[in-house]
Amino acid sequence: MNESVAPVAETRAFDAEVHQLLKLMINALYSNREIFLRELISNASDALDKLRFLALTDAELAGDDQATAIEVLVDVENHKLVIQDNGVGMTRQEVIENIGTIARSGTARFLESLSGDRKADAQLIGQFGVGFYSAFIVSDRVTLETRRAGAGADEAVRWSSDGEGEYMLEAIERQAVGTRVELELSEAHRDLLDVDRIKGIIRHYSNHVSFPIFVRGINDEELPADQSVNDTQALWTRSKSDISDQEYAEFYQGLTGDLDAPLSRAHHHVEGAQSYSMLLFLPPRAPYDMAWNRDDRHGLKLYIQRVFIMDAADQLLPRYLRFVRGVVDSADLPLNVSREILQESALLSKIRSALVRRALDMIEKLAKSGGEDWSAFQREFCNVLKEGIIEDPDNRERVAQLLRFSSTHATEPYAVALAEYLDRAKAGQATGEGDEKSSGDEPESTTRDAGDGNDDPLAIWYLTAENRQQALASPHLEAFSRAGVEVLLLTDPVDVWLVNHLHEFDGVSLKSAASGQFSDPQLVEEADGEPAKQLAGRIKQALGDRVGNVRPSSRLTESASCIAEEANGMTMQMRRMLQQAGQDVPEYKPDLEINARHPLLQRIEATADDVEAGQLAEVLLDQALLIDGGELADPAGFVRRVNQLLSDPGRGRLAENDG
Ligand code: ADP
């Protein structure tokens, strides 16, 4: 094997910048220094899991029948702490790749997201597990010795570093398979060299590791098996009534590395044609990349008869529930299951649909209890949950009930449920087209005059926009705010797709406020009048191919103009998103609505000069596009025209070629 050509001992440099990054991390985590122990124990536990899994198919690897365990040795005299396991170990090459390359470890991801704000950073730890390098928070030097299961005693390797930019690699002999990590504690951290103290830290952070952890003084005798510090009985196999909230929270923290308790949990044992247990959690906050990183999913661990098999969120949970954390333990799946087999397993598809059902139950329960936890859930995960409307048609109604939206009638984002909107909705939310049949049993309108023609069925009005501010400034809201009609403000990127799939809720249609279907009754007559129509015709002539239709608005009161969406067409915002994603979008001429009472329009009406009227019309169109969040094809032209109008307000007449 090629390791034999490697020198016996060598010194290697870390990847660029590792040293500096380490310093940053040590700084950020200083006040949480104890987490290094959690990280090293979790690595040891993973190594034991891996070996147990490999031994399922290769009995040789099980090696001597020494019990699997993690040992922590306290050496007060020499200021050392040792964490050792008899897990899978590493080859020389694996040490170089896994330990010598910080980019591979959890630490790298943590460092990428460091903000410099100590408190916020400490919160982040939980989201990554900072990994092996956290040992340097408390150590002057870290030495790791390891022998890979299946490799000879003379193929072991020692890695050692003071964290200052280089590490040393050396071939050694090692009798036992597995890994030993020795920390030389720096002076400031030698208070940790106390058996009881270490036990306390382990109970706090690692109590539910499924292998026994022993702690003793380095010169003390080995401890009998019943003296492990932690509770190794898999928590999820126990009966619900025997488990305290505290134990659940600690289990969650051990599983995820989170420092806080989960928002909610669901624990079920299913017996019958197939038996399995599941323990699910809703975390208190989302990983920083949850919204856009739809592929990074390791929240759900699959066990078979209590043997850890793999992270199986991909196989077990739909993407829109990727924030759910937990374990599933099946009694029936074959132990040597592969990812491919999992994908096709009928047993598993049953478990999968049960998981979705239970996860939605869990979220509904949290919704019922309300309060700050429910608000936190909405803030953190509502945008991901919305994907369920698209991804999971079977559960569309259930998911829709769980969504909360920003609205003109609420100050907080993620505050209004669709059902709540409907409760509040007033009669008179109408299409304004007057040709839809009236159901006749709508509640009486309080804000509109009777007989205005706005007696169409109820609708759920929404406006998609980049953000709340942009939405609130939109001319599309003018008529709604005058009529006191609530509009949901949809500002998550996913909302544009959401409204394409959620056409109705509880039998009531969702309608875009930008579609021109809602009108102000006082303006309807005026808009229908001949003068307004003539003005619209003149503007259409001036703008030519740049627009589809130009029509007098029956809803604008403040603004001069706006873009009117097709009722069921692609919104401007969706077009932009598709374009940004590099997709071909069919050419589209927006419809322009004009407010004939606005001074700018009256000026167009008043002028006999067609060139001036044309320039003003272009400004109207460009303004409407801008307010809609769009980009102008010719921004320089727009600025030139506006400047000309401003500096020559008396006439606004522009020379044809004034460049
Ligand atoms: P992470 O655990 O997030 O991958 P770490 O920095 O903790 O990041 O570890 C990097 C890798 O080093 C691990 O994924 C594992 O492959 C290897 N490793 C670390 N500790 C051990 C150990 N005790 N036994 C075997 N392999 C280990």
Side-chain angles (χ1 to χ4, degrees):
M1 50 171 53
N2 60 7
E3 265 104 304
S4 60
V5 296
V8 175
E10 59 175 322
T11 302
R12 288 176 168 236
F14 283 136
D15 286 357
E17 294 173 6
V18 165
H19 173 55
Q20 203 191 343
L21 290 174
L22 271 179
K23 287 263 156 341
L24 267 173
M25 175 181 74
I26 291 167
N27 225 2
L29 300 186
Y30 203 83
S31 50
N32 285 85
R33 59 177 182 162
E34 289 152 3
I35 59 128
F36 83 90
L37 196 53
R38 175 192 80 187
E39 297 298 320
L40 296 182
I41 285 176
S42 142
N43 281 348
S45 164
D46 288 349
L48 289 165
D49 268 332
K50 277 182 205 157
L51 183 57
R52 189 157 67 171
F53 183 63
L54 290 177
L56 291 174
T57 47
D58 186 350
E60 295 267 293
L61 288 180
D64 48 30
D65 43 23
Q66 199 194 359
T68 50
I70 301 166
E71 263 196 311
V72 181
L73 308 176
V74 180
D75 182 351
V76 182
E77 213 173 309
N78 300 304
H79 319 305
K80 284 178 182 167
L81 200 61
V82 174
I83 295 95
Q84 60 186 18
D85 63 72
N86 48 2
V88 70
M90 284 176 275
T91 63
R92 182 189 189 98
Q93 196 53 37
E94 284 169 337
V95 170
I96 294 172
E97 283 167 12
N98 296 336
I99 303 290
T101 317
I102 200 168
R104 277 283 308 272
S105 73
T107 312
R109 282 204 290 159
F110 172 70
L111 290 170
E112 274 166 25
S113 60
L114 273 187
S115 66
D117 172 350
R118 186 81 68 80
K119 206 159 154 226
D121 292 338
Q123 295 275 330
L124 280 173
I125 307 166
Q127 300 179 9
F128 306 104
V130 284
F132 178 79
Y133 279 84
S134 60
F136 285 104
I137 300 172
V138 295
S139 311
D140 284 338
R141 172 165 291 279
V142 177
T143 302
L144 171 143
E145 295 182 357
T146 185
R147 176 182 156 196
R148 166 85 196 190
D154 56 348
E155 291 176 277
V157 58
R158 174 184 296 134
W159 177 101
S160 183
S161 175
D162 59 4
E164 294 289 333
E166 289 181 336
Y167 64 90
M168 200 266 309
L169 263 188
E170 197 178 351
I172 56 163
E173 284 232 356
R174 185 175 152 84
Q175 292 316 307
V177 159
T179 303
R180 170 192 167 98
V181 180
E182 182 183 278
L183 314 178
E184 291 181 35
L185 294 196
S186 44
E187 216 169 330
H189 301 293
R190 294 191 185 150
D191 57 316
L192 291 171
L193 291 167
D194 176 282
V195 167
D196 287 332
R197 178 106 194 236
I198 295 291
K199 283 182 179 170
I201 297 174
I202 291 173
R203 280 201 200 93
H204 183 64
Y205 285 115
S206 312
N207 196 30
H208 295 285
V209 166
S210 54
F211 300 94
I213 306 171
F214 299 102
V215 182
R216 61 183 167 93
I218 197 141
N219 298 317
D220 298 343
E221 280 184 38
E222 296 204 4
L223 296 166
D226 60 358
Q227 294 203 9
S228 75
V229 176
N230 56 323
D231 171 15
T232 54
Q233 192 196 358
L235 182 94
W236 63 85
T237 60
R238 288 163 51 191
S239 132
K240 277 198 293 201
S241 51
D242 293 345
I243 309 173
S244 68
D245 286 352
Q246 170 87 6
E247 282 179 294
Y248 275 120
E250 282 173 6
F251 178 80
Y252 166 79
Q253 287 163 339
L255 184 77
T256 59
D258 206 325
L259 295 176
D260 293 321
L263 294 177
S264 183
R265 63 166 187 264
H267 187 185
H268 301 282
H269 299 287
V270 179
E271 310 275 331
Q274 75 158 321
S275 305
Y276 55 89
S277 302
M278 58 170 90
L279 175 52
L280 308 179
F281 296 99
L282 294 177
R285 83 189 68 74
Y288 72 108
D289 61 351
M290 169 149 290
W292 40 269
N293 194 350
R294 304 179 70 235
D295 295 320
D296 182 24
R297 303 199 287 143
H298 40 241
L300 201 66
K301 292 187 187 296
L302 175 66
Y303 286 74
I304 296 176
Q305 294 159 40
R306 296 188 52 199
V307 178
F308 173 71
I309 304 298
M310 64 180 95
D311 283 308
D314 268 332
Q315 286 77 17
L316 292 174
L317 280 175
R319 276 173 206 269
Y320 75 99
L321 294 174
R322 61 186 175 276
F323 47 81
V324 172
R325 298 280 178 267
V327 299
V328 176
D329 191 348
S330 161
D332 310 305
L333 286 165
L335 269 171
N336 57 353
V337 73
S338 68
R339 281 191 189 276
E340 292 67 39
I341 292 175
L342 270 187
Q343 212 78 53
E344 321 218 303
S345 154
L347 279 181
L348 207 72
S349 81
K350 287 237 173 65
I351 296 185
R352 196 183 300 132
S353 53
L355 274 169
V356 172
R357 199 175 67 234
R358 298 300 194 176
L360 292 176
D361 286 347
M362 169 169 66
I363 301 172
E364 275 164 11
K365 211 175 88 192
L366 187 64
K368 281 209 186 83
S369 61
E372 175 46 33
D373 281 357
W374 174 239
S375 306
F377 173 83
Q378 284 294 323
R379 271 197 309 277
E380 298 292 319
F381 304 115
C382 185
N383 58 346
V384 174
L385 192 61
K386 282 172 178 171
E387 294 172 16
I389 296 288
I390 301 152
E391 191 183 355
D392 190 357
D394 292 343
N395 285 302
R396 186 168 288 158
E397 191 82 358
R398 277 192 87 181
V399 173
Q401 272 163 9
L402 292 169
L403 301 179
R404 298 292 179 270
F405 298 93
S406 185
S407 140
T408 51
H409 284 37
T411 48
E412 295 290 310
Y414 303 114
V416 179
L418 293 172
E420 193 186 334
Y421 177 100
L422 284 181
D423 282 347
R424 250 204 306 263
K426 295 166 181 145
Q429 282 195 25
T431 64
E433 284 163 8
D435 53 3
E436 287 185 40
K437 62 174 185 329
S438 166
S439 64
D441 55 9
E442 301 300 331
E444 278 278 280
S445 163
T446 51
T447 53
R448 289 172 169 279
D449 302 332
D452 58 16
N454 276 300
D455 55 353
D456 298 276
L458 218 54
I460 297 172
W461 294 102
Y462 65 85
L463 185 66
T464 58
E466 311 271 331
N467 54 54
R468 187 178 162 89
Q469 235 174 337
Q470 193 202 82
L472 286 175
S474 168
H476 298 303
L477 290 188
E478 285 171 16
F480 291 91
S481 80
R482 273 162 54 95
V485 171
E486 180 167 11
V487 178
L488 301 178
L489 307 175
L490 308 189
T491 56
D492 280 331
V494 65
D495 288 333
V496 175
W497 314 108
L498 176 97
V499 295
N500 252 8
H501 289 81
L502 188 69
H503 299 298
E504 58 165 52
F505 177 79
D506 207 6
V508 177
S509 300
L510 271 79
K511 291 183 179 174
S512 168
S515 65
Q517 296 175 83
F518 186 90
S519 51
D520 188 318
Q522 289 168 12
L523 302 180
V524 172
E525 213 172 300
E526 227 169 280
D528 276 345
E530 211 33 54
K533 281 189 178 156
Q534 262 177 18
L535 182 57
R538 187 164 180 212
I539 291 171
K540 164 66 186 160
Q541 207 167 21
L543 294 174
D545 271 355
R546 286 193 66 195
V547 287
N549 238 319
V550 179
R551 60 172 180 257
S553 176
S554 55
R555 56 193 180 126
L556 291 181
T557 50
E558 312 288 321
S559 306
S561 61
C562 73
I563 301 294
E565 260 166 31
E566 306 151 60
N568 297 308
M570 217 188 262
T571 64
M572 297 283 280
Q573 205 190 358
M574 181 175 283
R575 255 163 223 291
R576 283 196 293 279
M577 286 175 66
L578 286 171
Q579 266 160 350
Q580 276 158 13
Q583 302 215 21
D584 276 340
V585 181
E587 217 213 318
Y588 161 75
K589 292 177 185 143
D591 283 355
L592 185 69
E593 268 188 41
I594 52 160
N595 172 4
R597 301 188 191 185
H598 194 277
L600 207 55
L601 276 298
Q602 292 181 347
R603 195 156 132 196
I604 298 181
E605 199 167 21
T607 181
D609 182 342
D610 278 345
V611 176
E612 181 186 8
Q615 300 287 4
L616 285 164
E618 297 226 13
V619 170
L620 274 183
L621 174 60
D622 285 346
Q623 282 179 346
L625 287 168
L626 277 178
I627 292 175
D628 224 53
E631 279 171 20
L632 300 182
D634 177 19
F638 171 70
V639 170
R640 203 169 58 226
R641 282 187 288 273
V642 169
N643 283 348
Q644 184 72 36
L645 286 164
L646 286 173
S647 54
D648 189 9
R651 293 183 60 226
R653 174 77 162 85
L654 300 172
E656 287 289 49
N657 283 312
D658 62 349

